[in-house]
Amino acid sequence: MIAMIFLCYKEDPDSGLNIRYGVPLYVRVKGRLRYSTQLEDIKINKKFNEETEGSSLDFAVTLQNTGNVHIKPNIAIDIYNSQGEKVKTLELIGKAPLLVSGVDKYHLIFEDFNLPKGEYKVEITVIYNHEPLREYKYFMVDESGAVRLLEAAKE
């Protein structure tokens, strides 16, 4: 998709009501289609929910479309404990397209976060046209339950 064109119709000039029609404009790429994306950034933020009095982890994954066609990325996050056991899987199915050269942030939320103290491995998998992009991050939960991203790779 290259653009979204909106057509507006206003029947009565004194009315505050407008009718809008949105029409996506797609352009066919000449030559070979190139699907490509890059993981720009990953952030982990712990949040407290006052209603449930519980915590959640927000995994913010920033992607850039480096190909020549728009993509609808699917993102999966698998969390492993220090023994290599999977403790949680989060998934986000692509809804809105990521346009060519576009950058967008996707949030995957781990509700009712309650992991014990220790180090954890996060496997981020992005699928956009059947070619997975994988990256690994590590985070630590301390005695107080605080979470921090570890910089050094463990593999």
Side-chain angles (χ1 to χ4, degrees):
M1 185 170 78
I2 193 70
M4 189 77 159
I5 299 172
F6 288 95
L7 309 169
C8 297
Y9 174 73
K10 193 170 188 178
E11 188 172 311
D12 181 4
D14 297 328
S15 171
L17 181 64
N18 289 330
I19 299 173
R20 286 179 28 156
Y21 296 98
V23 179
L25 177 63
Y26 289 89
V27 174
R28 172 80 170 124
V29 175
K30 185 176 181 178
R32 188 164 188 235
L33 301 181
R34 187 171 40 88
Y35 294 90
S36 179
T37 190
Q38 183 175 339
L39 225 66
E40 291 287 313
D41 192 26
I42 299 162
K43 293 198 183 312
I44 302 174
N45 297 309
K46 185 175 178 184
K47 298 180 178 181
F48 183 74
N49 185 334
E50 293 181 12
E51 290 179 16
T52 63
E53 295 185 2
S55 295
S56 64
L57 276 187
D58 176 9
F59 291 86
V61 178
T62 304
L63 298 177
Q64 179 180 13
N65 183 350
T66 55
N68 63 0
V69 292
H70 78 272
I71 58 172
K72 290 185 180 181
N74 297 325
I75 303 171
I77 292 181
D78 293 315
I79 303 170
Y80 299 88
N81 63 19
S82 57
Q83 288 78 39
E85 301 164 330
K86 189 186 295 187
V87 295
K88 185 72 174 176
T89 296
L90 305 169
E91 293 181 319
L92 180 72
I93 305 302
K95 294 180 180 166
L98 181 55
L99 303 180
V100 174
S101 300
V103 176
D104 206 351
K105 188 180 289 187
Y106 300 88
H107 294 271
L108 291 88
I109 309 295
F110 181 169
E111 297 290 347
D112 301 322
F113 166 75
N114 190 17
L115 291 176
K117 172 187 166 186
E119 290 186 11
Y120 294 86
K121 174 182 171 181
V122 179
E123 178 183 54
I124 301 103
T125 306
V126 180
I127 299 175
Y128 56 93
N129 193 39
H130 310 294
E131 295 190 28
L133 170 66
R134 282 195 177 81
E135 190 162 320
Y136 301 92
K137 294 289 182 178
Y138 297 84
F139 69 91
M140 171 188 255
V141 178
D142 68 16
E143 301 85 21
S144 68
V147 176
R148 69 181 171 94
L149 199 58
L150 301 174
E151 295 299 321
K154 303 283 182 176
E155 295 189 78

